[in-house]
Amino acid sequence: ILDWGMTLEVPSNLQYALLEFIAHLNVEDYDAVPQDFINLGFSPEGVSAERLKASGITDGLSFAFRQLSAGGGPKKIAERVEGELKQRYGAELSGPELEKKAQAELLAAMEAQLASEGVDVKGVTNVMEEVSRRNRELFALPPYVLYVARAFSTLEGIGLSVDEDYAIVQECYPYLARRLFTDRSPRSKAALRAMLGLDGPAVRAPSALPFGADTVGVVVPTAQSSARGNGGGG
């Protein structure tokens, strides 16, 4: 498929921001995600990472991206979400009961957010509406996202027609690995360390990086070449 309506130029800063975002998601370093969203252009100028984190909006977006990266399309995503809710609230609960529990937890989080901002929650008629209004000031949708979403949805739809577990995001990992192991910029090196779980004591060390056989074929020669260039043993 070659459709120039689905292409756009990606500046270097945005390329590195995407690498950093994927690396932080891979090790579930959610404390770094607010700054990633700012770097990706999801927040208007002047919004700080601290304010974005306090809003809780990055938690929902990170959850959505994590589900999309697992693949399988809407059906599999719905199954995974239900599984997570059952694990959190109880396997014996029905769908409507799980939804009610999730809504109650969301409402409590929203009330806590408003309280942290000095708002008298008792005086707010509609908590969800008030939080939504405040969060709109923190969030913006960059134009490039529409191009990426259009291209990814088309390609993933084709992939799902032949493989019900297909994930377009996972198809990007061989490129990601090649870029991380060959790009010598400080931002790329930092993203690689994050991807390998080498930075930050609070992040989860990845038990299995989402790299397949194609990726290993790229990484191993590159790593060996790098070792020889640095005087290391083969």
Side-chain angles (χ1 to χ4, degrees), residues 4-41:
W4 292 108
M6 294 187 181
T7 63
L8 76 161
E9 183 177 354
V10 183
S12 59
N13 279 342
L14 180 55
Q15 293 178 31
Y16 288 123
L18 287 167
L19 290 174
E20 292 161 348
F21 175 59
I22 295 172
H24 293 145
L25 280 187
N26 185 66
V27 292
E28 299 180 10
D29 183 6
Y30 297 126
D31 287 339
V33 169
Q35 185 59 53
D36 289 336
F37 276 107
I38 291 175
N39 295 342
L40 289 168

Side-chain angles (χ1 to χ4, degrees), residues 174-175 177-179 181-182 212-224:
Y175 164 78
R178 183 185 299 110
R179 181 67 181 269
F181 278 89
T182 58
D214 292 342
T215 309
V216 174
V218 172
V219 171
V220 172
T222 304
Q224 290 175 344

Side-chain angles (χ1 to χ4, degrees), residues 110-168:
M110 289 181 171
E111 290 177 345
Q113 176 190 337
L114 292 176
S116 69
E117 296 177 9
V119 177
D120 182 6
V121 179
K122 294 181 180 179
V124 178
T125 305
N126 190 319
V127 172
M128 288 190 177
E129 185 176 303
E130 177 64 18
V131 170
S132 177
R133 183 188 67 79
R134 289 170 175 264
N135 285 348
R136 278 198 296 269
E137 302 172 359
L138 306 178
F139 185 76
L141 191 64
Y144 74 84
V145 172
L146 300 177
Y147 287 91
V148 174
R150 182 185 173 197
F152 270 39
S153 62
T154 300
L155 294 172
E156 186 159 67
I158 296 172
L160 288 170
S161 67
V162 295
D163 179 4
E164 64 177 14
D165 294 318
Y166 181 80
I168 183 64

